[in-house]
């Protein structure tokens, strides 16, 4: 099959012929129909986080074509969405309802002694998050797949696998935002816009978005933000304090920069929480004044996957979309072919696009 291979740090995505194995055990083979371009994949392609060569792409939607003998949750022809949350389903964290904190995520992969799922000229390729969605096909453990309605379009379905559950889940699951509370969202990109959608569902009365791109701020308004702040034109801390003199109940950092997180801390109301969601470079640190944190009873929480339970939350968001209660259509700014992924990531840097999705393979 055709797949995009990252052969080394900063070397981009190369379209190549690779081999994909037959499904074994609880593995499911699917034809990929849509694959979203997420910032995390470009971060992994440019930093020493995953072994190279690798096939990335973790916002995946497709159709099941073959089943391993141990699969019980799917049938051929099912429409599915991939989840980057790798969970075993049997450890203490999984059994207590926290699969996003699974102690044995490697259970969703083949053992090192097994033949690889993906290979090129006889040599193994690693598979980003156990998905490898920048390809014509994907071979995935059934724990990482979720059944979705056939009425759900594939481009919108793909975004449910990461951007939607991470953004909305951070608000609904991790922060557990209540009706009447106030939130601040740093970064009105594809994930931040889903946080706006989550805040609307939660009944937040003040939804403030901060960005440097006027186009993104306009999109945030369209998704339901009550206020927007261009941090290149005004000091975001002063602007938030003008709108919320006592501070914000919740601040979400979808940017992943030290200065943003530190500004978020200063915006918090007493008892407020700062949620670190945006994937920062590995070397980025956050400074925290302990006395200020204690006196202000502030929380700093690292968020993984929006604290989401994929097999519960993805079908819920799909239903909300089909009921016209959640905006997924405006997330899909551009559809491209698999060979155009490098150009797609370049286009995302300009800030005028919410999400780019591969739909031609």
């Amino acid at each position: 099959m055709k797949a995009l291979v990252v052969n080394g740090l900063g070397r981009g995505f190369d379209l190549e012929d690779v081999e994909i194995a037959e499904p074994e055990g609880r593995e499911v083979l699917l034809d990929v129909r849509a694959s979203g371009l997420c910032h995390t994949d470009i971060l992994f392609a440019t930093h020493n986080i995953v072994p190279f060569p690798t096939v990335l792409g973790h916002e995946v939607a497709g159709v099941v074509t073959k089943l391993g003998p141990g699969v019980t949750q799917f049938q051929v022809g099912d429409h599915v969405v991939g989840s980057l949350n790798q969970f075993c389903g049997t450890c203490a964290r999984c059994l207590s309802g926290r699969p996003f904190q699974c102690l044995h995520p490697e259970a969703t992969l083949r053992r090192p002694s097994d033949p690889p799922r993906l290979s090129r000229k006889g040599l193994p390729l690693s598979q980003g998050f156990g998905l490898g969605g920048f390809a014509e096909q994907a071979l995935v453990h059934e724990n990482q797949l979720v059944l979705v309605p056939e009425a759900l379009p594939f481009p919108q379905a793909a975004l449910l696998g990461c951007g939607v559950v991470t953004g909305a889940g951070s608000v609904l699951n991790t922060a557990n935002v209540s009706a009447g509370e106030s939130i601040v969202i740093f970064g009105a990109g594809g994930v931040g816009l889903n946080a706006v959608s989550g805040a609307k569902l939660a009944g937040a009365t003040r939804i403030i978005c901060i960005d440097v791109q006027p186009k993104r701020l306009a999109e945030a308004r369209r998704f339901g933000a009550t206020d927007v702040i261009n941090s290149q034109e005004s000091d975001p801390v002063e602007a938030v304090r003008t709108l919320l003199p006592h501070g914000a109940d919740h601040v979400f950092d979808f940017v992943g920069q030290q200065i943003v997180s530190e500004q978020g801390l200063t915006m918090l109301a007493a008892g407020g929480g700062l949620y670190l969601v945006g994937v920062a470079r590995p070397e980025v640190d956050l400074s925290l004044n302990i006395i200020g944190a204690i006196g202000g009873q502030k929380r700093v929480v690292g968020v993984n996957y929006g604290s989401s339970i994929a097999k519960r939350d993805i079908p819920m968001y799909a239903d909300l979309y089909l009921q016209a209660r959640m905006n997924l259509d405006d997330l899909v700014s551009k559809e491209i072919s698999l060979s155009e992924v490098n150009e797609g990531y370049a286009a995302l840097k300009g800030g005028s696009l919410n999400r780019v999705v591969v739909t031609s393979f």
Side-chain angles (χ1 to χ4, degrees):
M1 68 172 182
K2 295 289 185 183
L4 292 177
V5 180
V6 180
N7 288 294
L9 287 177
R11 292 175 59 178
F13 299 86
D14 297 320
L15 187 63
E16 302 184 19
D17 290 315
V18 307
E19 292 76 46
I20 188 166
E22 291 292 312
E24 299 179 355
R26 297 176 64 190
E27 294 174 341
V28 176
L29 182 68
L30 58 139
D31 285 342
V32 179
R33 298 293 180 84
S35 191
L37 274 61
C38 178
H39 172 73
T40 301
D41 284 316
I42 199 68
L43 181 75
F44 279 26
T46 54
H47 290 77
N48 194 21
I49 302 173
V50 295
F52 298 107
T54 186
V55 177
L56 298 173
H58 63 271
E59 287 188 334
V60 188
V63 178
V64 174
T65 59
K66 289 185 180 180
L67 304 171
V71 173
T72 60
Q73 302 176 38
F74 301 100
Q75 298 179 349
V76 171
D78 283 345
H79 288 207
V80 293
V81 168
S83 162
L84 62 86
N85 180 212
Q86 297 172 255
F87 70 95
C88 67
T90 59
C91 72
R93 299 293 177 87
C94 287
L95 293 175
S96 63
R98 293 176 289 166
F100 47 87
Q101 296 176 351
C102 177
L103 300 175
H104 299 290
E106 74 281 356
T108 60
L109 303 174
R110 291 188 176 186
R111 295 170 298 183
S113 59
D114 293 335
R117 288 177 180 171
L118 301 177
S119 60
R120 180 184 56 187
K121 297 179 180 178
L123 297 177
L125 298 169
S126 69
Q127 185 185 24
F129 293 107
L131 294 169
F134 288 155
E136 292 179 314
Q137 294 179 302
L139 186 58
V140 183
H141 192 284
E142 67 175 335
N143 280 6
Q144 287 188 255
L145 294 174
V146 180
L147 182 68
V148 294
E150 293 186 10
L152 183 66
F154 286 114
Q156 287 81 346
L159 302 185
L160 291 175
C162 176
V164 174
V165 293
T166 299
S170 298
V171 173
L172 298 172
N173 299 327
T174 313
N176 194 23
V177 172
S178 299
E181 291 189 314
S182 59
I183 77 167
V184 173
I185 296 167
F186 276 98
V191 183
L193 293 176
N194 287 297
V196 176
S197 294
K200 285 180 60 182
L201 290 170
T205 52
R206 212 65 184 261
I207 306 170
I208 303 170
C209 277
I210 302 172
D211 207 296
V212 297
Q213 297 285 348
K215 171 67 164 56
R216 286 184 172 179
L217 293 174
E219 286 291 285
R221 287 274 196 193
R222 181 153 66 136
F223 273 71
T226 60
D227 306 271
V228 298
I229 298 168
N230 188 322
S231 56
Q232 283 191 329
E233 298 177 352
S234 60
D235 180 274
V237 177
E238 292 182 1
V240 168
R241 285 291 181 173
T242 298
L243 295 168
L244 301 171
H246 298 292
D249 296 310
H250 307 278
V251 176
F252 300 86
D253 175 9
F254 291 102
V255 178
Q257 294 180 359
Q258 181 182 17
I259 187 173
V260 169
S261 296
E262 291 176 350
Q263 288 172 339
L265 275 172
T266 64
M267 295 175 181
L268 289 176
L274 170 65
Y275 305 90
L276 306 178
V277 190
V279 180
R281 298 187 308 275
E283 65 273 15
V284 174
D285 294 319
L286 171 63
S287 298
L288 174 66
N289 181 273
I290 296 176
I291 292 295
I294 294 173
Q297 304 171 63
K298 297 178 180 179
R299 306 182 308 279
V300 178
V301 182
V303 183
N304 179 27
Y305 199 57
S307 306
S308 299
I309 301 174
K311 291 181 183 287
R312 175 197 68 187
D313 294 347
I314 288 177
M316 175 185 71
Y317 295 133
D319 285 344
L320 288 171
Y321 166 77
L322 293 174
Q323 296 169 23
R325 295 171 60 195
M326 191 166 195
N327 185 358
L328 301 182
D329 293 335
D330 290 327
L331 294 174
V332 183
S333 301
K334 186 176 183 180
E335 298 182 30
I336 63 172
S337 67
L338 188 61
S339 62
E340 296 175 311
V341 164
N342 290 303
E343 293 81 1
Y345 274 115
L348 282 170
K349 289 182 179 180
S352 62
L353 302 177
N354 296 332
R355 217 48 157 198
V356 176
V357 184
V358 176
T359 55
S360 176
F361 296 85

